[in-house]
Amino acid sequence: MSKLSNVWVFSDTYSRLAEVISGGLELGQNVKAIVLTEDESKEAFAYGANEVFLIENSDSNNIVENYSKSIAKVIMNEGKSLILMPGTKRCKSLASLLSIELEAGLVTEVSEINIENNNINCRHMVYGGLANGLETITSEASIAVIASGTFENIQKDESKTGEAQKVDFVENKNSIKCIEKTSKEGSSVDLNKAKSIVAIGRGISKQEDISLAEELCKVMDAELGCSRPIAEGEKWMEHERYIGISSVMAKPEIYVAIGISGQIQHMVGAKDSQTIIAINKDKNAPIFDYADYGIVGDLYTVLPAVTKALKG
């Protein structure tokens, strides 16, 4: 696989900066990071970016989408180049605006990128994860919004430093104004890094019963995850723990699915697990088509028994 002369990277969150820079180093000879703060510029250099461009803006209430013209101004007329972004909600929105500014080809949900004859080939999910498509981008500038876990996170090297090039902020003609900010309880969990995950679904009948899965997590030294209905329907768990096509794409060594039916939208986020273990009372549940090991039974009976057995 050949490499591009330039790969640009941008992330709206610290947690995905290491991955997009890692992808940039794999695909390009020169990685150029675009950041919005001084702290981010230091992080970008430490992760291995060759050049860093800091967009200066005194208005801290500006949201990410308002930077589309500023980023386009930095990248424009730089020749054949690829822009990598993580698949966050903000970056997906920004990517669509940026593709118009740069007249760039855009592919989302990208899981693999290959450079051949200076063309950019992107494999990505289509039809809600039912299939994979292969798109070739031939435009001068190309944008790939990558799914979580597409590239391995690169390790930080604090000895790598540099000075960011300052870039003036260019306001969009119709900027979105932030009227008010309210704090949200944060989550320190990163299921992309978890070696073991215990995930719960609709089979859990009430919120208090999540403690049964938490006990198994303690025994297995695993992180707790969930399917979409638990996070976005019942709102029993935070979005960062939801595994599926529009959230976490997990790749643990062990994935234990408890009371999860196994619909494709969920399994897209769990199918790359090395070993899948399913517990479900419905012997015809789709989850068993993916599972390496399965237990057909009531989770309220099976789960305490499994936890007790592992405790020894």
Side-chain angles (χ1 to χ4, degrees):
M1 181 180 73
S2 57
K3 284 190 174 186
L4 295 172
S5 298
N6 295 312
V7 174
W8 298 83
V9 300
F10 176 85
S11 176
D12 65 326
T13 175
Y14 276 147
S15 62
R16 298 294 300 277
L17 188 59
E19 183 179 5
V20 290
I21 290 179
S22 176
L25 292 169
E26 184 176 319
L27 300 169
Q29 298 172 356
N30 193 35
V31 177
K32 300 180 178 182
I34 299 174
V35 300
L36 307 182
T37 68
E38 290 282 0
D39 287 342
E40 284 180 297
S41 69
K42 294 175 183 176
E43 293 277 301
F45 278 121
Y47 283 127
N50 303 105
E51 298 178 62
V52 177
F53 296 80
L54 171 61
I55 299 176
E56 294 188 297
N57 175 29
S58 59
D59 185 358
S60 60
N61 284 329
N62 245 325
I63 63 174
V64 170
E65 290 89 333
N66 287 347
Y67 288 89
S68 60
K69 282 191 176 296
S70 303
I71 294 175
K73 183 180 178 181
V74 176
I75 297 173
M76 201 170 288
N77 301 320
E78 284 290 319
K80 189 73 175 181
S81 56
L82 169 67
I83 303 103
L84 288 182
M85 294 186 185
T88 63
K89 289 182 179 179
R90 288 291 188 210
C91 279
K92 286 178 181 179
S93 179
L94 174 64
S96 64
L97 296 171
L98 196 57
S99 69
I100 297 171
E101 297 286 350
L102 294 171
E103 298 184 354
L106 165 63
V107 183
T108 61
E109 307 295 348
V110 175
S111 59
E112 182 182 331
I113 302 175
N114 186 271
I115 313 294
E116 289 183 355
N117 299 322
N118 222 30
N119 289 328
I120 298 162
N121 302 313
C122 298
R123 189 171 297 281
H124 70 133
M125 291 184 294
V126 294
Y127 306 125
L130 290 172
N132 286 323
L134 183 62
E135 310 289 347
T136 298
I137 310 176
T138 58
S139 53
E140 193 73 356
S142 308
I143 304 173
V145 179
I146 62 172
S148 175
T150 299
F151 299 101
E152 292 289 334
N153 284 356
I154 194 166
Q155 295 299 310
K156 190 187 299 186
D157 184 351
E158 299 289 359
S159 68
K160 293 181 178 178
T161 60
E163 186 170 342
Q165 301 178 48
K166 305 288 181 67
V167 179
D168 291 334
F169 174 73
V170 181
E171 187 168 4
N172 289 359
K173 184 177 180 180
N174 297 304
S175 295
I176 302 171
K177 300 299 182 184
C178 177
I179 305 301
E180 181 183 3
K181 286 185 178 181
T182 56
S183 59
K184 173 186 175 183
E185 185 176 342
S187 173
S188 59
V189 67
D190 186 353
L191 294 184
N192 295 305
K193 299 178 181 178
K195 291 187 176 181
S196 300
I197 295 175
V198 173
I200 59 172
R202 290 180 186 270
I204 295 286
S205 61
K206 56 183 184 292
Q207 188 171 5
E208 292 76 13
D209 295 340
I210 294 176
S211 61
L212 295 173
E214 290 174 335
E215 284 299 313
L216 181 58
C217 285
K218 291 177 183 177
V219 175
M220 292 180 56
D221 191 24
E223 289 286 0
L224 182 64
C226 66
S227 61
R228 181 173 183 172
I230 299 299
E232 297 194 347
E234 301 293 346
K235 299 190 184 301
W236 289 346
M237 296 174 65
E238 59 265 42
H239 181 82
E240 289 81 1
R241 294 187 184 273
Y242 150 41
I243 297 165
I245 189 170
S246 57
S247 188
V248 177
M249 310 291 281
K251 296 182 179 180
E253 295 175 6
I254 299 175
Y255 186 79
V256 183
I258 302 169
I260 292 176
S261 64
Q263 297 301 319
I264 186 64
Q265 290 82 1
H266 175 77
M267 294 313 302
V268 163
K271 64 180 177 61
D272 290 329
S273 306
Q274 291 183 28
T275 302
I276 297 176
I277 302 169
I279 301 172
N280 200 296
K281 64 181 180 182
D282 179 7
K283 66 178 182 180
N284 296 315
I287 188 71
F288 291 118
D289 293 333
Y290 299 91
D292 298 285
Y293 303 95
I295 300 175
V296 178
D298 188 337
L299 70 86
Y300 286 95
T301 301
V302 174
L303 196 50
V306 171
T307 302
K308 183 179 179 180
L310 291 176
K311 284 181 178 178

